[in-house]
């Protein structure tokens, strides 16, 4: 899934916090070069913990979600919290997929390097 789909938002500083009080994946959500939210996707429960940096950032994020077409998500979502969580999870997932593709392009399998 391409990350352009989530414009103007992107996920940066994605890291896995294995030694945290609640292990999980953490990331910063960026809009127009500014960090607008810090999120954590915990291992032990479904959902996303998010902390917007300003009230305006939260407002513009919710307004962006409201403007998305109904076909943006594969599944039918029930409420605003679910839409927000699915958007953030899909954004982080797409960013990880894209970065993995970049790693795959740079990495050459030992089978293709010559004799083993």
């Amino acid at each position: 899934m391409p990350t352009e789909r989530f414009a103007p938002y992107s996920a940066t500083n994605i890291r896995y916090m294995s030694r945290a009080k609640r292990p999980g994946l953490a990331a910063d959500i960026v809009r127009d070069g500014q960090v607008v939210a810090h999120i954590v996707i915990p291992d032990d429960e479904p959902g996303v913990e998010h902390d917007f940096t300003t009230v305006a950032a939260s407002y513009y994020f919710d307004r962006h979600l409201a403007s998305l077409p109904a076909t943006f998500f594969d599944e039918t979502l029930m409420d605003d919290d679910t839409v927000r969580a699915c958007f953030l999870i899909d954004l982080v997932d797409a960013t990880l997929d894209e970065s993995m593709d970049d790693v795959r392009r740079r990495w050459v399998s030992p089978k293709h390097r010559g004799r083993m």
Side-chain angles (χ1 to χ4, degrees), residues 5-78:
R5 176 177 186 225
F6 300 97
Y9 292 94
S10 62
T12 61
N13 197 18
I14 300 172
R15 62 217 177 267
Y16 183 73
M17 302 182 315
S18 60
R19 301 179 126 198
K21 186 186 246 183
R22 296 182 60 206
L25 197 65
D28 294 333
I29 303 301
V30 176
R31 178 187 170 130
D32 300 330
Q34 298 281 4
V35 174
V36 295
H38 306 285
I39 66 167
V40 175
I41 305 170
D43 285 347
D44 59 349
E45 62 184 63
V48 177
E49 296 174 6
H50 50 78
D51 181 29
F52 284 94
T53 56
T54 64
V55 173
S58 176
Y59 169 77
Y60 287 118
F61 184 77
D62 288 340
R63 198 168 94 179
H64 175 73
L65 292 180
S67 71
L68 295 175
T71 57
F72 186 83
F73 296 103
D74 295 335
E75 60 276 344
T76 304
L77 304 173
M78 300 302 276

